Amino acid sequence: DAGITQSPRYKITETGRQVTLMCHQTWSHSYMFWYRQDLGHGLRLIYYSAAADITDKGEVPDGYVVSRSKTENFPLTLESATRSQTSVYFCATATGEFETQYFGPGTRLLVL
Amino acid sequence: AQKVTQAQTEISVVEKEDVTLDCVYETRDTTYYLFWYKQPPSGELVFLIRRNSFDEQNEISGRYSWNFQKSTSSFNFTITASQVVDSAVYFCALSRWLTGKSTFGDGTTLTVKP
């Protein structure tokens, strides 16, 4: 049982390019979240989804787009990558809106 | 707006010492959840505990214990008889009722030396 997976695990891209980070879960949890973790800091919520086709902005949504056509997938797209988006991105799932969140292994993104 | 403050950026202890990690939060909500997560050097995030705002009972799980005091908006985490494997970054988080939005503190890096 893979639980929650993220791909790619590492990504190097250039400024201005579009990048999509994938998140897949096998638990059928309703809620999914995207966070970024900058060096030396905690996690900041980018977007979250309460169910398929329901998404909402978090604390730092600018420059990101999400979609959730299927319960198990929650891709995060950087429309035009900037150096400030260099970070580690974590996807998480939860059974309910305030329940425990289970995190994926993270994607390390470097924007040159 | 809600906020989580972990004032201790880094803590270093010697194995077998007890250590307390502080967490102070701010929220206008009356119903909320508090969490602690561990992030070991390997980078993954591991859930440790969840506590709702109506349950102020302290909790003990092995060497770990948590002290939730609503009067001081604190949710502190104590590791008793620390071990080298406890070395990690520990995050405190606050989750809002009905939105699922969580706010994380900046984390406390704990180093346990042998």
Side-chain angles (χ1 to χ4, degrees):
Chain A
D1 184 358
I4 177 169
T5 57
Q6 293 183 235
S7 61
R9 294 293 312 280
Y10 303 90
K11 176 74 177 178
I12 300 174
T13 191
E14 295 177 339
T15 302
R17 290 190 180 265
Q18 184 180 80
V19 177
T20 295
L21 309 183
M22 302 301 295
C23 178
H24 175 77
Q25 57 142 333
T26 59
W27 295 316
S28 298
H29 286 175
S30 299
Y31 277 75
M32 296 187 76
F33 306 82
W34 274 109
Y35 293 90
R36 59 177 289 173
Q37 183 181 27
D38 300 318
L39 190 64
H41 292 282
L43 281 73
R44 290 186 293 171
L45 181 65
I46 304 171
Y47 270 96
Y48 71 103
S49 169
D53 297 322
I54 301 175
T55 62
D56 202 355
K57 296 178 181 179
E59 183 184 355
V60 288
D62 293 342
Y64 302 94
V65 175
V66 293
S67 62
R68 195 170 175 203
S69 57
K70 294 182 179 180
T71 300
E72 60 266 30
N73 296 323
F74 191 37
L76 175 74
T77 298
L78 287 67
E79 297 182 292
S80 178
T82 64
R83 290 197 182 93
S84 65
Q85 292 177 310
T86 292
S87 189
V88 180
Y89 290 85
F90 286 97
C91 178
T93 70
T95 56
E97 55 206 353
F98 44 82
E99 297 296 319
T100 301
Q101 295 184 18
Y102 297 92
F103 288 83
T107 294
R108 292 183 178 274
L109 176 67
L110 173 61
V111 183
L112 300 174
Chain B
Q2 52 187 29
K3 183 179 179 182
V4 176
T5 301
Q6 295 179 254
Q8 305 149 306
T9 306
E10 296 182 10
I11 300 176
S12 181
V13 299
V14 177
E15 208 170 18
K16 298 184 183 178
E17 285 185 13
D18 298 347
V19 58
T20 296
L21 310 182
D22 297 333
C23 174
V24 174
Y25 62 93
E26 296 174 26
T27 181
R28 294 179 183 173
D29 296 342
T30 55
T31 304
Y32 50 88
Y33 277 74
L34 294 163
F35 299 81
W36 275 95
Y37 292 89
K38 175 182 180 180
Q39 187 174 40
S42 52
E44 74 271 24
L45 280 154
V46 179
F47 162 79
L48 295 177
I49 190 172
R50 176 173 66 102
R51 172 68 70 211
N52 75 57
S53 54
F54 297 111
D55 182 0
E56 290 193 66
Q57 282 190 336
N58 291 334
E59 178 148 345
I60 298 174
S61 176
R63 296 184 298 107
Y64 296 169
S65 62
W66 289 269
N67 183 331
F68 176 30
Q69 292 195 331
K70 211 168 178 179
S71 59
T72 57
S73 297
S74 64
F75 186 43
N76 297 336
F77 172 34
T78 297
I79 301 174
T80 302
S82 60
Q83 300 176 0
V84 173
V85 294
D86 295 328
S87 296
V89 182
Y90 291 86
F91 292 99
C92 180
L94 170 67
S95 184
R96 295 195 68 185
W97 177 262
L98 294 180
T99 68
K101 291 185 179 181
S102 289
T103 299
F104 282 73
D106 282 343
T108 296
T109 300
L110 174 64
T111 301
V112 182
K113 299 178 181 177

